[in-house]
Amino acid sequence: MKLYSDEELAKILDQTIFHQISEAADRLGVECYVVGGYVRDIFLERPSNDIDVVVVGSGIAVAEELKRMMGRKAYLSVFKNFGTAQVKLRGGKSLASHLLPLTSDIEVEFVGARKESYSHDSRKPVVEDGTLEDDQNRRDFTINAMAICLNKDRFGELVDPFNGLADLEDGIIATPLEPGITFSDDPLRMLRCIRFATQLNFQIEEETFEALERMADRIKIVSGERIKDELNKIILAPHPSIGFEYLQRCGLLNIILPELSALDIVETKNGRAHKNNFYHTLEVLENVVKFLKSEEEGVRSENTLWLRWAALMHDVGKTKSKRWDPAIGWTFHNHNIIGAKMVPVIFRRLMLPMDAKMKYVQKLVDLHMRPIAIADDVVTDSAVRRLINDAGEDIDDLMMLCEADITSKNEVRKKMFLENFRMVREKLADLKEKDYIRLLQPVIDGNEIMALFHLPPSREVGVLKQYLKDAVLDNQVENEREPLMALLMEKAKQMGLIGNV
């Protein structure tokens, strides 16, 4: 981070947009401050184009005055029920500070300074007009409670009553007021606390963390939608394991994602222990993040979040599948199948999408043992063909997840796995060059089988289709019409269908 004097802050804010807001506030004779994340990000030298402005008076009136001054360059939206207004301005050098993207729209949110009080069973506060001090008291964290005055006579003056700047410098997340009050008033702030610690790689201040542990149960009044949003931000952080470790330590994870929390156990029997699958999962998640970064994450941005979710979910079935076998030790047979069945239950509860994104995560959880099983044995063409048939276009993501899952501390075994993985990848690349989707789909389809044997859609048609598909996948014959037709006739004869031709 970088420290700035008030004079340096004035220079940073010496841009048209802030002077226009300043003029609008001075015309109405009210105090006006830029607050919150935008101020924090100035010191962190992070780009931001969301500007929050607090007015000691009517925020809507200042927004309306700014719109009048800017004319058609500005778009005004007023939310009277909430006492807020938003002004959108077209981006550009004439409006934006050096920290703002120059091509995107700038959004400025205006609100009157206020104080809030909460009832125990609701996140919706009772709001009253207040002072700047009242407004800063209600902020979630000290690093988000800093304000910079925009009025002409105090332009650039930092107002930092809770030493947020010192906490930024020390890398600390702390609350302005007693943390138990802050979290009880709005329990979502507990997740935001961990999210900021994760995104910024900050430590949570000791008293604040103790309040997280004490108040964790309050998260139950927060909607799944809001919890989901914060979880996704944690998952997309540069090192998401930081957040999930905090969530587990304070007890929040056991409430919002108990299936993952339950993996945090090591059981020993007859001197044999299994690994801690919770911390293994975090290691796999970090490996996926590292792999994504190494191959230009922007290219696969559509699935980035969901591939990380798949890493997080890949072993959730282990708690239900764990068994002790005296001859082998601890086993987790079919944990991938059990985990895949758990994915839609978890997604529905967390209000995550139940569409193709969920199915993508479910597929990767279901298949994540397959490449490892192949790499643990002789790498055959047939096994690779079947894998690519089942994974389809998600084969590369599946391979990435499975390689991330190789966390063995046995270096000899790990080296063997990685070498076999290289062989699997080579065979996959060879199939892709040959247009694998066309290569693996028999040229004789179900419609032709029904026409040939005068069959309606039925079990017999399914058996014949699968017979041809197995022959192609196992490379028994070339995927060409003549050899497949010979196989089809032979199978139909065995099934007593040949007389129907």
Side-chain angles (χ1 to χ4, degrees), residues 118-125 184-187 218 220-222:
Y118 291 81
S119 63
H120 186 74
D121 59 351
S122 174
R123 289 183 56 241
K124 295 181 179 178
S184 180
D185 283 351
D186 185 355
R218 289 279 290 151
K220 292 177 181 177
I221 72 166
V222 179

Side-chain angles (χ1 to χ4, degrees), residues 112-149:
R114 59 193 186 184
K115 54 184 176 181
E116 298 175 342
S117 57
Y118 291 81
S119 63
H120 186 74
D121 59 351
S122 174
R123 289 183 56 241
K124 295 181 179 178
V126 176
V127 178
E128 303 173 68
D129 292 341
T131 63
L132 176 65
E133 181 183 5
D134 291 327
D135 200 88
Q136 289 176 301
N137 283 340
R138 72 178 183 84
R139 299 277 162 176
D140 51 8
F141 307 110
T142 60
I143 62 173
N144 294 335
M146 296 182 288
I148 301 174
C149 188

